[in-house]
Amino acid sequence: MTTPFPFTAVVGQDDLRLALLLNAVSPAVGGVLVRGEKGTAKSTAVRALSALLPEVPVVPGCRFSCDPASPDPGCPDGPHEAGGGAERPARMVELPVGASEDRLVGALDIERALSEGVKAFEPGLLADAHRGILYVDEVNLLHDHLVDLLLDAAAMGASYVEREGVSVRHAARFLLVGTMNPEEGELRPQLLDRFGLTVEVAASREPDQRVEVVRRRLAYDDDPAGFAARWTEEEAAVRARIVAARELLPSVRLGDGALRQIAATCAAFEVDGMRADIVMARTATALAAWAGRTDVLAEDVRQAALLALPHRRRRNPFDAPGLDEDKLDETLEEFGGSDDDDPDPDPGPDGPGGGGGGQPEPDDAPQGDGDTAARPEAGEDGQPQPSGAGEQSAARASEPFRTKVLSVPGIGEGAAGRRSRARTEHGRTTGARRPRGALTKLHLAATVQAAAPHQRARGRSGPGLVVRRDDLRQATREGREGNLVLFVVDASGSMAARQRMSAVKGAVLSLLLDAYQRRDKVGLVTFRGSEADVALPPTSSVDAAAARLETLPTGGRTPLAAGLLRAHDVLRVERLRDPARRPLVVLVTDGRATGGPEPVALAGRAARLFAADGVASVVVDCESGPVRLGLAGQLAGELGGTAVTLDELRADSIAGLVKDVQRRAA
């Protein structure tokens, strides 16, 4: 067995270690979400935590880790008699991103259930994690249907497996710990709210601390057992402190003054629902127990807010998590001291075990003035434009709006999502087929129909059907898939009029928000001057695309063909990486092409490459002014797609857009 890296040997990351320890003291806090860049000891710290947890008493032989003091009356391995049991180390169960539904919740033997009426159940990872830690690395990349199952289990404390009228239930209460790199995409709000605490981690910029990190890691790699032995005393001390804090926890007093501070803080930061108040109360109580106190102080409330609220303040995926600490201090001061029985509410230093440092800047920090720009002059289309020869400062995006759904025609087989029709594991049943590999969704009627003609030949004598493997039929289902939405944005001088570019960015931002909600991957190609650039390779992180869009400069000529060819190359490479995910190209341009010999003809030839590949496309026509050349519409015809104006892109203006895309692509 591999020797884990000692928890106490992790250098820095005070907030991360404190959040994990608070959950070890009080599992009711609700778990930890660790956000941060790669290589910051996220996984190392989580894996090391399990070695510090006290042993768990279990019923011997029970696959579902029932507590011998109060066994689960509905345990599939039960019933158990209350009484003595055995102890085992607390488990840390890892959920792989690519795990199947059966691996997570367990599986029923459908063949035995149909023929013998036996509930033969093989437990999954949720059963293994009961009364332990369920760890999901890269939790933001987890498939939606697995996220739904996790939400249900976390909310109810139990897992239900139901297949064709046969059901099994077992307890599933666990400490949920997830790690993620925000650059790879954000979490659904429902799952985000299920994590009690969140921590932002980053690599230290202090040379001495970085040297110590490298020194310890090299020593561990050379001799894991010997390195761990040198930290035995520190590990034992932390383990004993966890046990003592757990014993003290029921005696901790959460006074009315502290409760008022918690409620006022949640109200001041406008968090949704009441879960934040409850999590803050539990966290503040755990902080007091960890410090060896029986009273909750204002400093506990402050630290609890820094851990429990940042991820609950986000209103859309483009909002950065974080708290305005000055506002937090003002709220605690305003609502502190009203309860004479409470201790001094004056906020002290950051809570025991680590501070609230490293928080992102407040959301309402002053932003750069996006309205300072060069005075417009005649551009390449003869209209008043900023200078086309030089780069202009980036315009700020206008307010985003709700867009109509742009979907890819036909039926795909890509990753589950919410955009285009697809054959998926979840959705409405449309037919049946022989299973390829393990059976996951039984089509009962088709299975009975396949088995019925053979009952006499198989010597059926009892009430049950004689069902064999060849009789089983897999249900085919139709749901929705996520697509690759590739934005190709014209940033040339003809687009550089500040009001127009602001509207263009607002439209793209709106489409990015729609892509986030529909679980798409996104990419961004821009073209200006003499070349095209891949501003963002295909990724699940729409907020990264929004950040690139915000700083996008404009100016220069319009190398339309270069932009299309670069986008075509991006799709070619992505098709090799993810062949099942179908693309949708959104070209944002006024249709003009300048620079080089025959730029319009060259752009037309590049556009026909997309049509030849059957790539669905939409051209967002940004042409403005009293005289319109209709070049975007012509380009859409070459692409085999459709063209819409910026005004038509709004949800209440383009009711027929999806039908147009499908008709032209047919």
Side-chain angles (χ1 to χ4, degrees):
M1 183 176 178
T2 304
T3 303
F5 193 91
F7 186 85
T8 52
V10 175
V11 178
Q13 308 296 9
D14 292 337
D15 284 351
L16 169 59
R17 291 189 292 153
L18 177 61
L20 292 172
L21 289 170
L22 292 177
N23 275 273
V25 171
S26 176
V29 167
V32 186
L33 175 63
V34 187
R35 299 164 47 95
E37 59 195 32
K38 53 188 175 292
T40 49
K42 300 188 297 294
S43 300
T44 299
V46 175
R47 293 188 176 99
L49 176 67
S50 60
L52 296 178
L53 297 181
E55 291 191 333
V56 178
V58 296
V59 174
C62 178
R63 297 174 297 168
F64 301 88
S65 302
C66 281
D67 187 348
S70 57
D72 180 9
C75 175
D77 283 356
H80 305 299
E81 294 183 2
E87 290 192 342
R88 62 159 176 78
R91 289 176 181 161
M92 191 198 74
V93 177
E94 294 194 42
L95 173 60
V97 170
S100 66
E101 179 180 335
D102 286 346
R103 185 70 187 98
L104 177 62
V105 301
L108 288 170
D109 189 331
I110 299 297
E111 187 172 352
R112 291 188 63 191
L114 286 175
S115 59
E116 303 175 30
V118 176
K119 295 182 181 180
F121 181 69
E122 184 66 28
L125 295 177
L126 290 180
D128 292 341
H130 179 48
R131 304 176 68 202
I133 301 173
L134 180 61
Y135 172 50
V136 189
D137 194 11
E138 305 294 351
V139 63
N140 50 326
L141 303 182
L142 201 63
H143 288 299
D144 274 0
H145 69 284
L146 296 183
V147 170
D148 293 335
L149 293 170
L150 275 180
L151 289 177
D152 290 342
M156 297 183 294
S159 175
Y160 293 84
V161 182
E162 305 215 12
R163 296 278 176 83
E164 307 297 340
V166 181
S167 63
V168 173
R169 173 212 165 273
H170 65 83
R173 292 183 295 275
F174 46 82
L175 168 59
L176 181 60
V177 181
T179 58
M180 60 175 284
N181 183 346
E183 293 180 356
E184 297 174 340
E186 284 293 344
L187 278 174
R188 287 170 54 185
Q190 296 94 326
L191 183 57
L192 198 63
D193 190 48
R194 291 295 181 187
F195 287 97
L197 310 180
T198 186
V199 177
E200 294 278 342
V201 296
S204 172
R205 299 298 183 258
E206 293 293 330
D208 291 343
Q209 194 171 76
R210 296 175 74 97
V211 166
E212 186 61 24
V213 170
V214 175
R215 181 182 290 118
R216 293 187 186 183
R217 184 69 210 192
L218 293 178
Y220 171 77
D221 290 341
D222 289 341
D223 183 10
F227 181 82
R230 294 199 293 273
W231 293 87
T232 301
E233 292 185 6
E234 289 84 350
E235 294 281 287
V238 173
R239 190 179 297 110
R241 188 174 176 184
I242 291 174
V243 172
R246 283 187 173 185
E247 294 174 351
L248 182 63
L249 188 65
S251 304
V252 175
R253 174 179 174 270
L254 183 65
D256 288 344
L259 277 173
R260 277 193 292 270
Q261 286 183 318
I262 290 171
T265 300
C266 293
F269 286 102
E270 300 180 352
V271 296
D272 295 331
M274 294 298 298
R275 183 174 281 115
D277 303 63
I278 297 171
V279 170
M280 273 192 66
R282 290 171 174 167
T283 304
T285 304
L287 279 162
W290 178 248
R293 290 186 270 102
T294 56
D295 286 300
V296 174
L297 306 181
E299 66 189 49
D300 300 324
V301 176
R302 185 181 192 278
Q303 183 65 60
L306 292 173
L307 293 172
L309 297 188
H311 61 302
R312 293 186 166 89
R313 292 195 59 244
R314 305 188 74 192
R315 291 294 181 267
N316 65 64
F318 310 134
D319 292 339
L323 289 183
D324 182 343
E325 295 194 32
D326 291 336
K327 181 178 179 179
L328 173 61
D329 291 336
E330 290 172 4
T331 303
L332 293 176
E333 183 176 358
E334 179 182 355
F335 289 89
S338 57
D339 186 347
D340 293 335
D341 295 331
D342 281 348
D344 182 8
D346 181 47
D350 292 331
Q359 297 293 330
E361 289 296 320
D363 289 347
D364 56 357
Q367 302 293 325
D369 183 5
D371 293 326
T372 59
R375 189 180 301 277
E377 60 186 40
E380 59 183 69
D381 59 354
Q383 300 295 326
Q385 306 283 353
S387 172
E391 180 177 302
Q392 307 302 314
S393 59
R396 300 192 66 177
S398 62
E399 192 68 21
F401 51 84
R402 187 171 63 89
T403 67
K404 277 290 188 179
V405 180
L406 308 178
S407 65
V408 178
I411 301 179
E413 295 183 346
R418 299 177 183 175
R419 184 172 296 278
S420 304
R421 294 172 59 197
R423 286 180 287 270
T424 63
E425 290 294 323
H426 300 269
R428 63 185 183 90
T429 301
T430 58
R433 60 171 173 81
R434 291 181 182 273
R436 304 186 194 109
L439 178 71
T440 56
K441 297 292 181 182
L442 178 74
H443 194 295
L444 181 58
T447 299
V448 172
Q449 187 176 9
H454 308 290
Q455 295 306 297
R456 181 176 297 178
R458 293 173 182 173
R460 174 187 171 187
S461 58
L465 284 173
V466 180
V467 180
R468 295 180 179 172
R469 176 70 186 175
D470 290 343
D471 301 327
L472 299 179
R473 294 295 182 267
Q474 174 85 23
T476 58
R477 302 191 174 194
E478 182 178 310
R480 293 279 169 176
E481 68 176 359
N483 298 112
L484 166 60
V485 182
L486 181 62
F487 295 93
V488 186
V489 181
D490 183 349
S492 64
S494 67
M495 297 280 290
R498 184 156 302 280
Q499 188 174 4
R500 184 198 295 185
M501 201 60 199
S502 178
V504 167
K505 286 187 175 182
V508 177
L509 198 65
S510 303
L511 290 168
L512 282 171
L513 182 58
D514 182 69
Y516 165 77
Q517 294 168 341
R518 300 188 185 281
R519 315 304 292 169
D520 294 315
K521 290 179 72 173
V522 297
L524 179 62
V525 174
T526 65
F527 56 94
R528 58 181 292 273
S530 60
E531 60 184 11
D533 294 315
V534 181
L536 184 70
T539 176
S540 297
S541 179
V542 295
D543 50 342
R548 302 290 198 281
L549 181 71
E550 188 69 24
T551 58
L552 177 65
T554 57
R557 294 187 177 274
T558 311
L560 178 56
L564 291 172
L565 291 173
R566 181 58 63 91
H568 189 268
D569 188 57
V570 169
L571 294 184
R572 179 184 59 81
V573 174
E574 190 63 19
R575 195 176 294 117
L576 297 174
R577 294 174 177 168
D578 193 356
R581 190 181 292 268
R582 297 186 295 164
L584 173 65
V585 173
V586 178
L587 175 59
V588 185
T589 181
D590 56 10
R592 291 175 172 82
T594 60
E598 300 182 345
V600 176
L602 186 59
R605 289 197 294 271
R608 287 191 288 274
L609 294 175
F610 292 86
D613 290 342
V615 176
S617 60
V618 175
V619 178
V620 180
D621 185 359
C622 302
E623 191 174 27
S624 61
V627 179
R628 302 198 178 202
L629 303 178
L631 297 176
Q634 298 175 23
L635 183 61
E638 300 278 6
L639 285 164
T642 189
V644 294
T645 65
L646 288 174
D647 290 336
E648 291 171 339
L649 196 60
R650 295 181 180 271
D652 54 359
S653 301
I654 54 170
L657 176 59
V658 175
K659 294 181 180 178
D660 289 342
V661 174
Q662 293 173 338
R663 184 175 63 252
R664 295 198 179 202

